[in-house]
Amino acid sequence: SPDVHLSHGIGLLMAGRTAEARPALERALELRPESMIARRYLAELAQKEGDWSAAAEQWRAYLALDPAPAWVWFNLGFALQRSGRGAASVAAYRELLARDPQHAQGKFNLAWELAQGTDRAGLEESLALFADVLAARPDYNECHVHRATALEKLGRLEEARAAREEYARGRERP
């Protein structure tokens, strides 16, 4: 039964026996292809193993069954980002924020990805997103250093210097 394989796979995964968990979870999915639970655990297993492409594939399959959950869009965006597919991660983070506009980590990850580029509009958007994150979470110090990078790319060197100084001050705080 798919439920037996799923329960067995989850138990093995929780016990840290990932090599044994995979076949059980895959069998559960084979027997019940619409199992979002099996897809979730296979995605999480792939992430633990650092196989970000496989994780993204499972998160996409999950979203094909139910596109609503914001947390799944976040996980897809992160898996895509980690697998080096920046443009696809941007699209996933945009979907996340359409569903949960206050998701601070999603805003940060989108801003970070946009700040990696050289497109002026993307860099400006990253600055607005970093500002939103800092407004909600003033202690999110990493925003300052990545803001500085975006500001430097835009030629706003004084603002970049100030952002780097703010980052340094934040590192000194307990």
Side-chain angles (χ1 to χ4, degrees), residues 38-51:
R39 293 204 180 278
R40 175 185 182 167
Y41 281 101
L42 281 167
E44 291 175 357
L45 175 59
Q47 288 176 184
K48 282 184 182 187
E49 295 173 340
D51 188 347

Side-chain angles (χ1 to χ4, degrees), residues 6 13 17 42 76 87 93 96 106 112 117 145 164-165 171:
L6 182 61
L13 189 59
R17 296 165 55 186
L42 281 167
L76 174 60
Y93 288 132
L96 159 68
W112 184 90
V145 72
R164 289 199 186 280
E165 288 173 1
R171 290 183 53 119

Side-chain angles (χ1 to χ4, degrees), residues 114-138:
L114 292 170
Q116 302 312 299
T118 56
D119 173 66
R120 183 169 195 80
L123 292 168
E124 293 287 355
E125 183 181 358
S126 77
L127 294 176
L129 288 163
F130 284 134
D132 284 353
V133 173
L134 286 167
R137 293 187 45 200

Side-chain angles (χ1 to χ4, degrees), residues 11-173:
L12 290 167
L13 189 59
M14 297 302 162
R17 296 165 55 186
T18 57
E20 297 169 76
R22 178 179 300 289
L25 293 169
E26 288 173 343
R27 181 68 178 144
L29 191 57
E30 180 182 313
L31 294 171
R32 187 177 292 145
E34 72 281 2
S35 174
M36 293 186 298
I37 296 171
R39 293 204 180 278
R40 175 185 182 167
Y41 281 101
L42 281 167
E44 291 175 357
L45 175 59
Q47 288 176 184
K48 282 184 182 187
E49 295 173 340
D51 188 347
W52 297 103
S53 291
E57 182 181 322
Q58 290 299 335
W59 291 126
R60 281 190 198 279
Y62 186 109
L63 289 165
L65 297 167
D66 181 5
W71 66 270
V72 179
W73 285 104
F74 175 80
N75 285 322
L76 174 60
F78 190 72
L80 290 166
Q81 203 167 31
R82 293 297 301 257
S83 65
R85 298 188 311 216
S89 74
V90 166
Y93 288 132
R94 289 192 192 290
E95 285 292 332
L96 159 68
L97 294 173
R99 287 162 173 73
D100 182 0
Q102 302 308 312
H103 197 289
Q105 189 64 50
K107 284 182 183 184
F108 175 84
N109 288 10
L110 174 57
W112 184 90
E113 192 63 52
L114 292 170
Q116 302 312 299
T118 56
D119 173 66
R120 183 169 195 80
L123 292 168
E124 293 287 355
E125 183 181 358
S126 77
L127 294 176
L129 288 163
F130 284 134
D132 284 353
V133 173
L134 286 167
R137 293 187 45 200
D139 62 328
Y140 206 147
N141 197 43
E142 291 298 309
C143 285
H144 296 296
V145 72
H146 298 300
R147 274 187 71 244
T149 300
L151 288 162
E152 287 166 353
K153 289 179 179 182
L154 290 167
R156 294 162 55 182
L157 302 181
E158 278 304 309
E159 290 174 83
R161 185 185 57 70
R164 289 199 186 280
E165 288 173 1
E166 185 61 35
Y167 173 71
R169 277 192 297 278
R171 290 183 53 119
E172 294 170 359
R173 291 184 202 117

Side-chain angles (χ1 to χ4, degrees), residues 1-9 28 31-32 35:
S1 130
D3 293 335
V4 170
H5 290 286
L6 182 61
S7 295
H8 183 61
L31 294 171
R32 187 177 292 145
S35 174

